[in-house]
Amino acid sequence: MICALGSAVCYGTATVLQAVAARSAAAPGPDTGGSGVDPALLLRAVRQWRYIVGLGLDGLGFVLQIVALRSVPIYAVGAALASSLAVTAVVAARVLAVRLSGTEWAAVGVVCAGLGMLGLASGSEGHRDGPAALPWALLAVAAAILVAGAVGGRLPDRARALVLGLGAGCGFGVVEVAVRLIDSLDLTNPALYALLLGGGAAFLLLTSALQRGSVTTATAGMVLGETIGPALAGVVWLGDHTRDGLGWLAVTGFAVAVVGALALARFGEAPDSPPTRSLPEVPR
């Protein structure tokens, strides 16, 4: 559970650092229109230490996530990863001087309370391999996510953000389940290809969702996709369970943590720093 929380801290902090670096690397001058995508932005961003540190934190967070998935139930890891939004909100309030409302501070507390309940109620990782068809099913889901992304990309902005965000969350969920089905580097294991395809599809769809449309809507869809489905797969097929008599506490903690994360969904992409105030005009 410490690894899962550490992964959330890494992901949440990396989001803010990379946002700061991306803004600093933005090309000067007025927007050229269109989508506003600057192909050279990444090349400029990687020259900044904040962006490099953010990438390093992403890598460390992924390693911690794998360790956590091999040690505790998927539902606990999924809820902890969703809490990275709370980390982003707190770090953004400090680094970017973003003002959190009372409701958002309360949501941060709710996420922490939910994770605390999960930590108390979570049992050990399940040791079942699931149905023989499960790895192939994961690979099929990963491929379906790409198809859904191609269809969703043609929808109006609001529906587009929701569909692509939900698809991205399902892709991350495929990764969570696939990690549990991989014991070694076996190139004949379809779960390995499901992990690669699901992770790649998730990043692609999430980037497309945030490029245009509501960040809050896209992130809310992602949180739902990466928590509920994988949690059910872990309990039903992989043998994840809770401590004796604490199933109700785990369900409550999971629900509380996810609801709190949804309340912080606007921090799925670190908000811009507030505009600087202009000096008052001096009368002549």
Side-chain angles (χ1 to χ4, degrees):
M1 196 64 187
I2 292 175
C3 288
L5 295 175
S7 179
V9 170
C10 288
Y11 287 145
T13 305
T15 297
V16 178
L17 291 175
Q18 290 167 348
V20 173
R23 282 198 302 274
S24 299
D31 190 3
T32 57
S35 65
V37 177
D38 182 0
L41 176 62
L42 180 60
L43 294 178
R44 294 194 299 269
V46 295
R47 300 173 186 172
Q48 301 192 39
W49 68 267
R50 290 184 182 86
Y51 198 86
I52 298 299
V53 172
L55 289 178
L57 287 173
D58 280 335
L60 178 59
F62 184 68
V63 172
L64 293 174
Q65 177 185 353
I66 292 177
V67 174
L69 286 168
R70 304 293 297 183
S71 306
V72 295
I74 294 176
Y75 62 79
V77 179
L81 293 181
S83 74
S84 65
L85 293 172
V87 176
T88 298
V90 173
V91 175
R94 178 72 176 177
V95 175
L96 301 179
V98 175
R99 180 171 295 181
L100 272 66
S101 66
T103 301
E104 288 170 334
W105 278 117
V108 172
V110 165
V111 169
C112 294
L115 293 176
M117 287 186 277
L118 271 175
L120 291 174
S122 296
S124 59
E125 169 204 14
H127 296 290
R128 295 208 304 262
D129 295 329
L134 183 57
W136 292 103
L138 289 177
L139 186 58
V141 169
I145 289 170
L146 286 176
V147 175
V151 175
R154 301 178 181 179
L155 297 174
D157 285 354
R158 186 173 182 84
R160 177 179 184 270
L162 178 60
V163 171
L164 294 183
L166 184 61
C170 292
F172 290 128
V174 167
V175 172
E176 294 175 17
V177 178
V179 166
R180 290 278 297 274
L181 301 179
I182 299 174
D183 293 324
S184 60
L185 187 58
D186 182 4
L187 297 181
T188 64
N189 187 352
L192 176 62
Y193 301 99
L195 185 151
L196 297 175
L197 182 59
F203 279 111
L204 177 62
L205 266 61
L206 184 59
T207 300
S208 299
L210 297 180
Q211 180 182 354
R212 188 180 65 188
S214 169
V215 171
T216 301
T217 301
T219 305
M222 182 189 69
V223 169
L224 293 174
E226 73 177 349
T227 53
I228 298 177
L232 291 175
V235 171
V236 174
W237 291 315
L238 302 181
D240 289 347
H241 59 277
T242 64
R243 298 181 188 273
D244 292 340
L246 293 181
W248 65 272
L249 185 60
V251 172
T252 302
F254 179 86
V256 166
V258 172
V259 168
L262 290 175
L264 296 167
R266 77 179 179 99
F267 292 96
E269 182 179 63
D272 291 337
S273 56
T276 56
R277 295 181 180 177
S278 58
L279 294 175
E281 184 177 354
V282 179
R284 296 182 180 178

